Amino acid sequence: RHVLPRPVAIGADASVLIDQEGIVLNAYTHPAYRRRGLARALMTRLLAWTEAHAIRRVVLHASVQGKPLYEELGFSGTAKVGFYLKLK
């Protein structure tokens, strides 16, 4: 989605978000297929796509079960947004 310029705080680093941001919604893995790397493969592919399309920020809301995966992929938690990943 296109976003209006706005300040964002990322850790100790503060910047202004001008570009687009991606939003991951309704990602779910059926219990019978969990712990097989499907979510990791999907998110890795999605993050490669966002980088190739110059999307500089990705946000999502994670379940307790998904939190470790998103943290391993570089997402950081926030109280307001859920998780975000600042891309290069």
Side-chain angles (χ1 to χ4, degrees), residues 2-80:
H2 294 282
V3 295
L4 296 173
R6 66 179 189 266
V8 290
I10 300 175
D13 190 22
S15 62
V16 175
L17 179 65
I18 297 172
D19 298 314
Q20 299 180 49
E21 74 178 7
I23 303 173
V24 178
L25 295 173
N26 301 323
Y28 174 80
T29 304
H30 188 279
Y33 296 96
R34 292 181 184 161
R35 311 297 306 162
R36 298 183 184 189
L38 297 172
R40 180 179 304 280
L42 176 65
M43 289 303 300
T44 300
R45 183 80 183 253
L46 180 141
L47 294 174
W49 184 91
T50 59
E51 186 172 354
H53 289 82
I55 295 173
R56 301 172 52 100
R57 179 177 158 106
V58 177
V59 296
L60 60 84
H61 292 273
S63 66
V64 172
Q65 297 87 352
K67 182 179 175 181
L69 169 64
Y70 298 121
E71 290 176 336
E72 287 177 26
L73 291 172
F75 285 82
S76 299
T78 68
K80 186 175 181 180

